Amino acid sequence: MINKADKNITDVLSQIKDGATIMIGGFGTAGQPAELIDGLINLGVKDLVIINNNAGNGDHGLAKLLKTGAVRKIICSFPRQSDSWVFDELYHAGKIELELVPQGNLACRIQAAGMGLGAVYTPTGFGTLLAEGKETRHIDGKDYVLEYPIKADFALIKASRGDRWGNLVYRKSARNFGPIMAMAAEVTIAQVSETVDLGELDPEYVITPGIFVQHVVQIQPTSTEPASDEYASTATTATA
Amino acid sequence: MINKADKNITDVLSQIKDGATIMIGGFGTAGQPAELIDGLINLGVKDLVIINNNAGNGDHGLAKLLKTGAVRKIICSFPRQSDSWVFDELYHAGKIELELVPQGNLACRIQAAGMGLGAVYTPTGFGTLLAEGKETRHIDGKDYVLEYPIKADFALIKASRGDRWGNLVYRKSARNFGPIMAMAAEVTIAQVSETVDLGELDPEYVITPGIFVQHVVQIQPTSTEPASDEYASTATTATA
Amino acid sequence: MSHTSYTVLTRDQIAERAAQDIPDGAYVNLGIGLPTKIAQYLPDDKDVFLHSENGLLAFGPPPAKGEEDPELINAGKEYVTMLDGGSFFHHGDSFAMMRGGHIDICVLGAFQVAANGDLANWSTGAEDAIPAVGGAMDLAVGAKKVFVMTNHTTKTGDPKIVSELTYPVTGKNCVDRIYTDLCVLNVTDKGLVVTEMVDGISFEDLQALTGATLTDATTVK
Amino acid sequence: MSHTSYTVLTRDQIAERAAQDIPDGAYVNLGIGLPTKIAQYLPDDKDVFLHSENGLLAFGPPPAKGEEDPELINAGKEYVTMLDGGSFFHHGDSFAMMRGGHIDICVLGAFQVAANGDLANWSTGAEDAIPAVGGAMDLAVGAKKVFVMTNHTTKTGDPKIVSELTYPVTGKNCVDRIYTDLCVLNVTDKGLVVTEMVDGISFEDLQALTGATLTDATTVK
């Protein structure tokens, strides 16, 4: 019998090694798997390639991971934010490599990986600096840039509920990159606020079918935290 | 105020002209928009290009449309079935053109249209008769075939519930091609078993957001029909 | 540049003017910053569907104080609410809406717009600046109509409407209409056509503040 | 071809044998026809997730008489049920599962399999036949492992395991293992390796019924 929710964060993350390519869900902090990122920091792996829409906010989560120096390269669409000082400093010091990708090409290249495509012709970025050196083609009256899939060894994402087979549902705009990253990584690790029994998620409304998820880790909400999406970093063994 | 559910089948379909390219949802009869197809037959347009997974079953629905001689060409993956005698006869008589596409390439090319891609490299069909004459490329150790989007003027699909903004949910395996066809057509017409008020469809579980749907037509179930998915062809003005 | 006796539109007035051109039933993406203001001026008797890159359709105004949900934000990372009839979806579907031509109108800010509709709004090309692009390039190529909302000139009085971009391009030939604090411009095959000007300004005044040749709509047939 | 004293497996026995090689937790697509039988022989103590092209994951056995739902069918258009923990999705996502390498094992029928793993199962190339392909080509290239389940020879005794295909190919170099009524074959870089034979058959008998050179696993190191 398969129970993808039977490990705690430390055990699940221990399979990540130096040099791994890791997708991290979230748009800003919404949908950012904060506890998984903390676990990754504790793990102490280095030389990572990170794929995320942004490059961290404030001093927590992804920004904190960057600060440890564990990240060799980041692939993202919008690294410059009012509170992205950790990335700013690393970038100006030449301590991190940046691959800037238009947000829709980021999404599409992640989708291409999940869908098993070899490459796609996308109109976005044609004629811009971000398409420099890339192959282009005129198709049916419009110009396109050839873009290749972005795959990852791991995806760390945040969902709201999951079951022991890895089925997931999300909450509001925290969904963002989660479903497509889950499809594009060899191993997807989802943190959820609640693990539910098989059958509790309506099959019509499962957003990420379990086939795309290898591990589900339940994060226990603590009463001391004010906002509903803020939980303690304590991983618990999920019951299922 | 927008009410996409304010027309009956006849009025909605009257915008379809001779020579139109039309996607029709359904996998076999599951998800086939039977009443919309009947409406299309009554409309009497001809020289149509039809995109569907199959080429009709028995003497109803898509098969009936084919029998009228209205279809110039069909793009599908599996036209040969035990009850596809209507297509068989037309094909052997040279009265219909067939573009045979592997089912996943059919899905992917429809998706490419909806996503605004110019073309995609897909591994499916490489080295086979169905890729003859097509451009290929070796990418990262694997062979791919270049395939172009399949777009349509209209998509006729079947959903279970919809609202006046065109949001849709489906029922079980009747979902199949519906959501991706809705994204790939200029005008999508969805028949639903029930029109519901705005807000009744949970925003987390809308499968096809209204942006992809231009018309919703409610098909009234009649008590004389035995099976739950069989309804009379009477369109009613939806209340919303 | 000398002001004679004309009135410059405020940011809110530009937004209000642009809002008038958004029809009932339009699917609209309002770019981060100035264009976001347009939402306030959409009339209540129209259904205008606001799309946000991060997976929202038919979102509504900001929540009441204390009702903010960190997981319900728009692309500008502002708190929003959802209207009845709205929906959530993932980034793949969200950018399919944009890239696939399903968004009717997007309204973007600009560093520069060229006479041929080229848009620059993602990078000034400054050497020490960290490049960031977000969804600007996707909106520029994907929306059926691209409107730009901008001040007519920079703070230092340099034209933002130019004959050719000097900043890195976001999208080529993509802009359809420009709303500034001085006028409304249509981008046409024959160049920039002025369809409206603020009270008191002369066509010559406007031309003097613009880096590209303008045509007066009243002289075009 | 002469039978000496060996026992040919029934279709059910081939299915039962193939079922033994499907591990706990596997995501599996069973091709239309013969492979479908495998579902009956999956042990209850394993979670094996059955996928169907038309948008089902973790579907279950056929419904009881009278409980059939025309909107709950598998790719073979047979009535099925859903297990708790199953899910529905559209064709795009369904074929992403297949093409994207997310399906662990697919089991397909075959007209022919070549020694290099080429598979023919969609067309006999007959001139008057209507071509139809369905999802066969997607499964052939997309699943992590492709198993074939077939009789060893045609009804007229011709080999179906051949050195080179004479029928049109479905997928090149895609087959990993072949289950027949006579044996189990692994497709390896060194050709076809026999890992099991039915009781009573000799390697020479088996080779005589096969159109490609076989290697006995016991002689391979």
Side-chain angles (χ1 to χ4, degrees), chain A residues 204, chain B residues 24-33 51-54 103 107 110-111 156-159 170-182 207-208, chain D residues 52-56 70-74 77 88-95:
Chain A
E204 297 283 6
Chain B
I24 299 183
F27 182 86
T29 55
Q32 191 174 105
I51 296 130
N52 182 267
N53 187 60
N54 304 104
Q103 196 172 151
I110 293 169
Q111 286 184 287
L156 309 184
I157 63 172
K158 180 184 182 180
Y170 300 82
R171 187 169 173 278
K172 303 186 178 180
S173 60
R175 185 183 307 189
N176 58 70
F177 283 93
I180 63 174
M181 286 182 170
I207 303 299
T208 293
Chain D
S52 185
E53 292 96 301
N54 58 325
L56 310 179
E71 294 190 336
L72 185 46
I73 57 172
N74 66 14
K77 281 142 188 146
F88 299 111
F89 34 84
H90 62 54
H91 251 78
D93 283 345
S94 187
F95 279 81

Side-chain angles (χ1 to χ4, degrees), chain A residues 49-93:
Chain A
V49 176
I50 298 292
I51 295 130
N52 183 267
N53 187 60
N54 303 103
N57 304 79
D59 292 300
H60 297 284
L62 180 52
K64 190 172 167 191
L65 176 67
L66 295 183
K67 195 157 192 173
T68 65
V71 180
R72 175 174 68 78
K73 175 181 176 179
I74 189 159
I75 302 175
C76 70
S77 90
F78 209 83
R80 187 184 65 225
Q81 298 189 272
S82 57
D83 58 354
S84 59
W85 49 75
V86 172
F87 174 80
D88 297 5
E89 198 176 308
L90 288 167
Y91 182 78
H92 282 127

Side-chain angles (χ1 to χ4, degrees), chain B residues 61-107:
Chain B
L62 181 53
K64 191 172 167 190
L65 176 67
L66 295 183
K67 194 157 190 174
T68 65
V71 180
R72 176 174 67 78
K73 176 181 176 179
I74 190 159
I75 303 175
C76 70
S77 91
F78 209 83
R80 188 184 65 225
Q81 299 190 273
S82 57
D83 58 354
S84 59
W85 49 76
V86 172
F87 174 80
D88 297 7
E89 200 177 306
L90 288 167
Y91 182 78
H92 283 126
K95 288 182 177 164
I96 194 165
E97 188 185 338
L98 169 67
E99 180 179 345
L100 189 71
V101 180
Q103 196 172 151
N105 284 357
L106 185 63

Side-chain angles (χ1 to χ4, degrees), chain C residues 65-81:
Chain C
K65 199 84 185 167
E67 308 266 301
E68 298 89 351
D69 183 339
E71 294 189 336
L72 185 47
I73 57 172
N74 66 15
K77 279 137 189 154
E78 300 163 318
Y79 297 117
V80 295
T81 53

